[in-house]
Amino acid sequence: MAGKRGLIMGVANDRSIAWGIAKAIHAQGGQLAFTYQGEALERRVRPLADSVGADLVLPCDVTTDESIDATFAAIGKKWDSLDFVVHAIAFSDKEELKGQYVDTSRANFARTMDISCFSFTAVAQRAKAMMPHGGSLMTLTYLGAERVMPHYNVMGVAKAALECSVRYLAADLGHQGIRVNAISAGPIKTLAASGIGDFRQILRWNELNAPLTRNVTIEDVGGAGLYLASELSRGVTGELHHVDSGYNIVG
Ligand code: 0WD
């Protein structure tokens, strides 16, 4: 990854999946920029960014075009091009990740879709302008997009739309040498996951039933993120890559 530059979006703390990917790419010499959402997270993200020698650490709230534009403008001032973007952002009202999907409200449906799905397309719109030599865009998804999983509810619907948008973006951007892929990660105890009802049971169930009989770590996902960001995956686009100890083949 020496000589490659990329943006990591969605680090909340050192347990974040985005941080696992950042560490793996940094270990191979990639240069990183980070975004954070809000001042509370800035305090956590800055020291992490410092530890991998990143000095581009920018606020970005993906719910507004102005914020995304400002982020890419700031990157454009320091770097003339980008090689990869990691999008590891999702949000839904916790109260609607407990009961049944059928009770989803219009407002939370729209917000979940906006932050967890549309934001990837919004980022792709800006990133492509900075990828004249091609590049790699990746996002994070979960098996709840493909099947009904307990309490995943509206987030499953948003992830299904996200996975579909990966395919459309891959088709749109392929001729520019820009690859677009998704990693479908197994359950990992992070801040976002703590909002999902009965998450502890889901972890235990996966551990017992996955072919590898263990849960995945952010380092496991980091390895896959490194592969997708690098030239090793140069022939891969529009792909949904499961990093879940094989749970998707049995569960
Ligand atoms: O089991 C898991 N943890 C899995 C997570 C399994 C499979 C997939 N994923 C996905 C998530 O759905 C998400 O897309 O991985 C991605 C990263 O999630 P994470 O690493 O599990 O969670 P976390 O460390 O909380 O990072 C997600 C971050 C937010 O953190 P919080 O917890 O504060 O919501 O997404 C960011 C924020 O930093 N985020 C935003 N960033 C910019 N603008 C916004 C926003 N409006 N909303 C949330």
Side-chain angles (χ1 to χ4, degrees), residues 5 49 67-68 90 115 126 138 142 152 171 181 202 206 241:
R5 290 167 158 170
S67 181
I68 306 173
I115 299 177
R126 278 72 174 187
M138 75 186 81
Y142 180 56
Y152 207 55
N181 294 289
I202 294 171
N206 277 258
H241 181 53

Side-chain angles (χ1 to χ4, degrees), residues 10-13 15-18 36-37 41 60-63 87-91 111 115 139-142 152 155 159 183-193 199:
V11 176
N13 56 39
R15 297 175 138 208
S16 297
I17 294 175
Y36 59 86
Q37 186 216 4
L41 292 185
C60 186
D61 178 347
V62 295
T63 57
H87 170 277
I89 290 171
F91 180 82
R111 191 163 164 76
I115 299 177
T139 187
L140 268 299
T141 184
Y142 180 56
Y152 207 55
M155 190 59 91
K159 291 296 195 191
I183 296 175
S184 184
I188 301 176
K189 202 165 174 289
T190 62
L191 206 56
F199 190 73

Side-chain angles (χ1 to χ4, degrees), residues 72-80 130:
F72 278 86
I75 295 169
K77 277 194 187 144
K78 286 240 181 169
W79 294 350
D80 51 9
M130 289 194 68

